[in-house]
Amino acid sequence: MDHGINFDSMLPLSWVASGSDLKGLADVLRLEPSLRPECLDPSCPFNWKMNLTHLEASKFGESVSLSVIHLECDSSWEVKCQSLGSDIIMTLPLQGRIAYTFADGVEETRPGQVMIYPYGDMLRLRCIAEDGVYRTISLRISRNKVQRVITRRTGRFNQAKFDIRRLVRDGSHSLSVVGRLMAMITEPVFAANLRTVSEDARYAMINTVAQVMVDVIHSEERYGDDKADAIPLYVTKALTFIQKNLKTRTSVHEVASHCAVSVRKLERGFRDNLGVSPTEYSKNVRLEHIRMILKRGASGRSISTIAAEFGFSNRTRFLRDYLTKFGEAPKDTRTSEGGT
């Protein structure tokens, strides 16, 4: 059976798998040959079982994703980690312990503790079983979602660019909540029902997890009252206006005029609440729509034609922007989704 998991699908995905060797686990996680895990004691058997849930959603021109894995095995093992990627990882050992090798040292967590770090920071992960059992829950979430939550709470975008690595050693209420939330998400019955949930609901769920993660990261800090989370009405109005005029490609002056605010105030509102300028936001939304069309096939129309419909008249600039945002060329998106 092919246990490979396709994380490129926009549909919710739930998976229950088990095996009796490390190769099976590596196949399920689609690890590259150079990143294959190794047993710390090759003479011991390696039995494992895993529940996985993966969600993706797109709203307000922002694509976000969430993956949660509940893994249990009966032996210790280690694995090298990829240096690419900008998502945020949170791991909670439930039984056994985890040693993380970073460029500047080694950290270790035990049950009741949590490690949060950018995906690209870790060099090696060592999972150590105790009394013949290793059990953990791991969460991977879009970094841009976590940064946006921090931006809204602090009111300053530059606060979202700090070193996000945290080792939380105490059993805070936020840590308890996120542990239970992650365990619930990976329950097979709950995960299976996610396929009937709307994209707006999936976005809200991912946003909730990001909120709780920030609570854990800053469990000892305060950000003021709840008004910091509210987006000003003129910004919300601008978002709606841009969404409704994707193929018109309105200028920032037109958007500001529609919202009855100055260009400067509009740009400051976008920076403070969304972390991007109105122009960048508009471009991101248009790129998202083009990607959606390409994923659906869009037979009979060239990529250049589709791009031009959304205001990308310069082919070279469009290809550069698309590659920067999605990490692949438009033709690769169409090919991977079976388009022609």
Side-chain angles (χ1 to χ4, degrees), residues 294-299 331-340:
L294 294 177
K295 281 190 171 187
R296 291 173 179 170
S299 58
K331 66 177 182 180
D332 295 328
T333 301
R334 171 175 276 178
T335 301
S336 66
E337 295 298 323
T340 58

Side-chain angles (χ1 to χ4, degrees), residues 6-237:
N6 177 17
F7 289 103
D8 296 327
S9 172
M10 284 296 288
L11 292 174
L13 179 149
S14 59
W15 199 273
V16 178
S18 61
S20 56
D21 57 34
L22 265 174
K23 182 181 181 301
L25 178 60
D27 289 343
V28 166
L29 298 176
R30 283 196 167 182
L31 297 177
E32 298 294 330
S34 61
L35 304 174
R36 294 280 164 166
E38 300 175 355
C39 276
L40 297 182
D41 186 353
S43 63
C44 292
F46 189 87
N47 300 298
W48 60 273
K49 57 183 179 180
M50 181 190 76
N51 293 353
L52 177 146
T53 299
H54 179 74
L55 298 175
E56 290 188 14
S58 181
K59 191 174 182 180
F60 299 136
E62 174 191 32
S63 294
V64 294
S65 62
L66 169 69
S67 300
V68 184
I69 295 177
H70 189 172
L71 174 66
E72 181 175 342
C73 56
D74 57 8
S75 296
S76 302
W77 56 288
E78 67 178 2
V79 63
K80 293 180 180 178
C81 299
Q82 292 178 327
S83 59
L84 300 177
S86 59
D87 290 344
I88 304 299
I89 308 293
M90 172 188 280
T91 53
L92 294 85
L94 304 176
Q95 190 166 350
R97 63 187 195 275
I98 309 174
Y100 311 82
T101 300
F102 298 100
D104 57 354
V106 178
E107 299 277 9
E108 185 174 287
T109 56
R110 297 177 176 272
Q113 302 175 344
V114 62
M115 175 63 77
I116 303 172
Y117 58 93
Y119 180 57
D121 279 12
M122 191 172 60
L123 304 178
R124 181 176 290 272
L125 177 72
R126 175 171 289 196
C127 307
I128 305 166
E130 293 186 350
D131 298 325
V133 178
Y134 168 79
R135 190 160 63 93
T136 187
I137 294 182
S138 300
L139 177 153
R140 177 173 174 174
I141 191 169
S142 305
R143 180 168 187 150
N144 64 315
K145 180 73 263 181
V146 177
Q147 288 181 328
R148 187 160 296 183
V149 171
I150 295 172
T151 299
R152 289 180 181 175
R153 292 194 179 191
T154 62
R156 298 182 300 277
F157 181 64
N158 60 354
Q159 291 294 314
K161 298 181 178 180
F162 69 104
D163 179 9
I164 210 165
R165 191 197 308 173
R166 292 289 189 278
L167 171 57
V168 182
R169 301 180 184 274
D170 56 33
S172 66
H173 293 299
S174 296
L175 180 55
S176 174
V177 169
V178 78
R180 293 180 182 181
L181 181 61
M182 290 163 64
M184 179 186 69
I185 290 174
T186 59
E187 286 294 325
V189 174
F190 180 85
N193 289 332
L194 290 176
R195 291 185 177 273
T196 64
V197 172
S198 68
E199 185 169 4
D200 282 351
R202 295 200 306 270
Y203 181 90
M205 184 178 299
I206 296 171
N207 185 64
T208 298
V209 173
Q211 296 273 358
V212 177
M213 178 181 281
V214 172
D215 285 342
V216 174
I217 294 173
H218 296 291
S219 56
E220 298 179 355
E221 297 182 24
R222 303 259 179 208
Y223 288 110
D225 58 32
D226 294 336
K227 293 182 179 179
D229 284 333
I231 298 179
L233 180 60
Y234 71 88
V235 174
T236 303
K237 190 174 182 180

